[in-house]
Amino acid sequence: DAGVIQSPRHEVTEMGQEVTLRCKPISGHDYLFWYRQTMMRGLELLIYFNNNVPIDDSGMPEDRFSAKMPNASFSTLKIQPSEPRDSAVYFCATVGAGTGELFFGEGSRLTVL
Amino acid sequence: AQKITQTQPGMFVQEKEAVTLDCTYDTSDPSYGLFWYKQPSSGEMIFLIYQGSYDQQNATEGRYSLNFQKARKSANLVISASQLGDSAMYFCAMREGGDDKLIFGTGTRLQVFP
């Protein structure tokens, strides 16, 4: 079974540009999480979905960030307009059965110049 | 207040020795789960081990064991017989019973030397 798939793996863009990060979760996993990892702030939860419905977006830093999950097999995290302080690794993760551990994608490393 | 505290920014251990990575947590929920993840330099997050608050025994997974001391609210990760490939960042995380999300600590960087 394929794991969580994220794209792009790396993105370099200029300040002010729109950035869209994509995630394909593991089939059958009902929860999808978006985390951001930076040296200064560690791993922060941005938003999570249950059955495609956003449950908690209190971690989304500001209105420039938005996330959608139009169906069970796809989610996007969009930043518009991007700023240098958005540079980070963005992880998508889904919850497995049993102990409820998170299965992470490989992350999308974003650099905003 | 921090929910998950990892007080060791970095640790060194010699190959084949055991090492303990500290994690303390803060919750008033009697039901919770504790997780450890490994993040090598390549960046992926790898799940290592899980401990439930009602589990009677400490969790073990191969060379990984969790020293769970409920009264002290600590969930230290013990790696036995360290290998060079164990060099990585290690994160402790918690999920409280009524919640869906995992809260992560700041991590400990472990370096294993020959």
Side-chain angles (χ1 to χ4, degrees):
Chain A
D1 196 11
V4 177
I5 299 172
Q6 291 188 245
S7 64
R9 292 293 313 281
H10 301 274
E11 172 111 1
V12 180
T13 190
E14 293 188 344
M15 183 174 63
Q17 296 298 305
E18 178 179 291
V19 173
T20 299
L21 307 178
R22 297 173 177 80
C23 175
K24 178 177 168 52
I26 295 173
S27 177
H29 287 191
D30 296 333
Y31 286 84
L32 184 143
F33 300 79
W34 282 100
Y35 282 85
R36 178 172 70 175
Q37 185 178 31
T38 60
M39 288 292 291
M40 292 299 295
R41 301 174 69 91
L43 273 158
E44 305 172 275
L45 177 66
L46 299 177
I47 185 171
Y48 76 94
F49 297 82
N50 181 17
N51 288 318
N52 315 336
V53 177
I55 303 300
D56 183 352
D57 65 354
S58 59
M60 297 286 262
E62 47 197 276
D63 291 345
R64 298 184 298 105
F65 285 69
S66 62
K68 293 182 180 179
M69 192 166 185
N71 57 61
S73 58
F74 185 64
S75 177
T76 59
L77 178 67
K78 187 173 291 187
I79 308 172
Q80 167 62 22
S82 59
E83 296 182 3
R85 60 192 166 124
D86 302 331
S87 297
V89 179
Y90 292 81
F91 285 102
C92 175
T94 61
V95 171
T99 59
E101 74 268 24
L102 290 181
F103 289 84
F104 282 82
E106 293 183 305
S108 294
R109 180 175 294 276
L110 173 65
T111 303
V112 183
L113 303 174
Chain B
Q2 291 290 325
K3 293 261 186 183
I4 293 284
T5 303
Q6 295 181 254
T7 57
Q8 306 155 314
M11 290 284 286
F12 288 89
V13 66
Q14 190 165 31
E15 202 175 6
K16 299 179 186 176
E17 297 295 311
V19 63
T20 297
L21 306 183
D22 294 342
C23 174
T24 57
Y25 58 92
D26 182 25
T27 182
S28 57
D29 195 324
S31 175
Y32 52 89
L34 298 156
F35 303 77
W36 278 91
Y37 281 82
K38 172 184 179 181
Q39 187 178 41
S41 58
S42 49
E44 70 267 33
M45 294 286 287
I46 302 167
F47 166 69
L48 295 178
I49 195 167
Y50 166 82
Q51 180 84 45
S53 60
Y54 295 119
D55 292 345
Q56 295 297 311
Q57 294 187 322
N58 287 345
T60 61
E61 288 288 346
R63 294 186 299 110
Y64 304 110
S65 60
L66 205 151
N67 184 1
F68 182 45
Q69 297 188 43
K70 198 169 183 176
R72 297 180 61 185
K73 293 189 175 179
S74 74
N76 299 339
L77 177 70
V78 181
I79 305 174
S80 61
S82 298
Q83 301 172 357
L84 296 177
D86 294 334
S87 295
M89 282 288 288
Y90 289 81
F91 292 95
C92 180
M94 177 176 66
R95 176 186 287 121
E96 292 173 296
D99 207 346
D100 303 313
K101 58 184 180 283
L102 257 64
I103 304 298
F104 285 83
T106 52
T108 296
R109 181 171 297 281
L110 175 67
Q111 299 213 49
V112 181
F113 60 94

